Amino acid sequence: MTVSSIVMWVVTTIATVWKISQVIRVPDDRYLRAVTACTVFVFIALSAQLATSLPINILGPYLPKLVQNVVLTFFFALLLIVLQASVSPYRAARRARGEVLLGAAASVGLVVTFVATSPEHRGVSYEIATGDAGAVWFYLVGNAYMAYATARGAVLAWQAARQTRSRARLSLRVAAAGLAICFAGTHLPRVIATSGHLAGQPTEMLRTEVWTTPLLAGGIAVFFIGIAYPGARTGMLKAHLWLEARRRYHQLRPLWFTVCKAFPTIALFAPVPLVRELLHFRYMRLRYYRRLIECRDGLVCLSPRLSTEGLPAPELAQQISDLVGTGTRERPAPAQMILAEPVGDSVEEDVGELVKLSRELRRLGRPSSRRPRLGFAGA
């Protein structure tokens, strides 16, 4: 078990889980299902390769290598069909039949050369395949097809990138670069080396058994980075919005706790201890906006009982603290004031003023944590 093999398997596993999760969320997207199938094929192929080094190998010592290469032919055939449909939908159906037939021919060639290999050399790794001509033929057939598939896949991915104006352009170009690395760094050199070996050239096979595997791992990693980039970017944006909502949600707690204790009817859900609130992870943006609305509702209810308009945050917080803490019942004013009025019309400016007020309430010794004596429940 080499480091390169483990890296390839880990990257493929992450990409497969990610794509399957996307299909679960959007099951009707045919393009996404096809791409997910491609990643599943690669995962199966690399898992079969990795199975040869495990203590318990249910496939036996021979079959994993054959399974790996046959599955990869299906992967590349499907990948080329998907890319061809992206570049030229009108030619996709005609080209699809050719790709399926070529992949099937490569699979048959792999099975035939595998059977023709002596039993003690079946399924051996590329690094030690020179001991038997059948094993060398096996790798020649497999790498010849994959050299074609990676080269054509790189060209199609690059053409598809030129035809799109969305952020998928960068994703396709990165995927094309990964396929080009696999072609130029692994499959083409191995085709040349195995052909030379069968023609009677030195058995070292250009030492491709040393340097092509790391390049293959790098190419696969780059390819899957390109495929996963749009989803990863969306995930990063969602994570940023979630973290920002969670931060604002907790910043508003002192103010929200104060107005909810004074006016319990404005809260959709009753306040809970801070420790329990810290365990809230789901529906964070909904919780945040609900808290924002309830803070505004509470300030509207408090405004008739405050005597001065346009106070800065420290003085306004002091008045709210005194009013809620003493339970003063003043006659409502004829008109309500706008407390913590935002400078502009945006939501962020509104939230900014409420956060300032909430921080001042926290600075005053968390008056919201004391049970208020104020008994009114509405304005």
Side-chain angles (χ1 to χ4, degrees):
M1 182 187 301
T2 65
V3 175
S4 300
S5 300
I6 296 175
V7 170
M8 288 188 290
W9 185 82
V10 170
V11 171
T12 307
T13 302
I14 294 173
T16 302
V17 172
W18 181 269
K19 286 300 174 183
I20 290 175
S21 68
Q22 289 182 316
V23 169
I24 292 174
R25 292 195 298 269
V26 191
D28 297 329
D29 192 328
R30 297 176 60 186
Y31 177 79
L32 180 59
R33 292 203 305 268
V35 174
T36 303
C38 289
T39 60
V40 170
F41 282 143
V42 176
F43 170 75
I44 295 172
L46 294 181
S47 297
Q49 178 185 3
L50 205 62
T52 59
S53 58
L54 296 177
I56 300 176
N57 183 5
I58 61 175
L59 296 177
Y62 308 129
L63 286 181
K65 183 61 66 174
L66 178 62
V67 171
Q68 174 194 5
N69 284 271
V70 170
V71 169
L72 281 177
T73 60
F74 287 106
F75 159 72
F76 278 111
L78 181 57
L79 176 65
L80 295 178
I81 292 171
V82 170
L83 290 174
Q84 182 65 59
S86 301
V87 174
S88 178
Y90 300 103
R91 298 179 57 189
R94 184 178 62 184
R95 292 288 308 187
R97 289 190 292 269
E99 296 298 348
V100 171
L101 290 175
L102 186 58
S107 298
V108 172
L110 288 168
V111 173
V112 171
T113 54
F114 183 83
V115 173
T117 304
S118 59
E120 63 271 17
H121 289 92
R122 286 176 183 170
V124 297
S125 65
Y126 177 80
E127 289 77 8
I128 58 176
T130 55
D132 185 88
V136 178
W137 273 107
F138 176 82
Y139 280 102
L140 175 59
V141 172
N143 281 288
Y145 174 76
M146 291 182 190
Y148 156 77
T150 51
R152 178 162 177 77
V155 172
L156 289 175
W158 194 266
Q159 290 177 349
R162 293 174 59 183
Q163 295 180 10
T164 182
R165 298 183 179 275
S166 66
R167 293 189 178 93
R169 173 181 296 182
L170 177 60
S171 172
L172 288 168
R173 286 180 174 173
V174 173
L179 292 173
I181 293 172
C182 292
F183 165 75
T186 301
H187 300 305
L188 181 60
R190 287 186 176 184
V191 169
I192 295 173
T194 51
S195 300
H197 178 75
L198 292 171
Q201 297 299 318
T203 58
E204 299 296 332
M205 294 208 302
L206 305 177
R207 301 215 32 102
T208 51
E209 71 277 7
V210 176
W211 53 270
T212 55
T213 301
L215 288 175
L216 179 62
I220 291 176
V222 172
F223 173 73
F224 278 111
I225 287 172
I227 288 181
Y229 170 75
R233 188 178 184 277
T234 301
M236 291 173 62
L237 291 175
K238 288 183 178 179
H240 173 73
L241 293 174
W242 184 89
L243 290 172
E244 182 65 18
R246 184 175 177 83
R247 183 174 68 90
R248 292 296 198 186
Y249 177 74
H250 291 300
Q251 286 177 337
L252 291 172
R253 177 180 168 84
L255 174 60
W256 175 80
F257 202 89
T258 298
V259 298
C260 286
K261 283 294 184 178
F263 306 100
T265 56
I266 68 172
L268 181 62
F269 302 107
V272 297
L274 179 59
V275 175
R276 183 177 173 185
E277 185 177 287
L278 292 174
L279 299 177
H280 290 163
F281 296 103
R282 299 183 63 189
Y283 312 114
M284 187 51 60
R285 297 189 69 189
L286 179 62
R287 293 176 186 273
Y288 160 59
Y289 285 118
R290 182 67 205 181
R291 176 163 291 186
L292 173 62
I293 293 171
E294 289 172 354
C295 284
R296 272 296 169 199
D297 289 345
L299 290 179
V300 169
C301 295
L302 281 173
S303 62
R305 295 171 171 81
L306 299 177
S307 57
T308 307
E309 186 175 5
L311 290 176
E315 297 181 21
L316 179 59
Q318 187 64 59
Q319 281 202 20
I320 293 175
S321 176
D322 294 342
L323 179 63
V324 175
T326 58
T328 303
R329 296 174 178 270
E330 296 186 4
R331 183 181 298 275
Q336 294 179 329
M337 301 177 295
I338 300 178
L339 304 180
E341 183 176 3
V343 179
D345 298 329
S346 68
V347 175
E348 282 302 314
E349 290 174 328
D350 187 18
V351 174
E353 293 299 319
L354 294 179
V355 168
K356 290 180 184 178
L357 181 57
S358 188
R359 285 172 178 168
E360 292 299 327
L361 287 170
R362 179 185 288 115
R363 188 184 61 82
L364 290 175
R366 300 182 179 272
S368 58
S369 63
R370 300 192 303 265
R371 186 174 184 83
R373 291 173 289 172
L374 192 58
F376 50 84

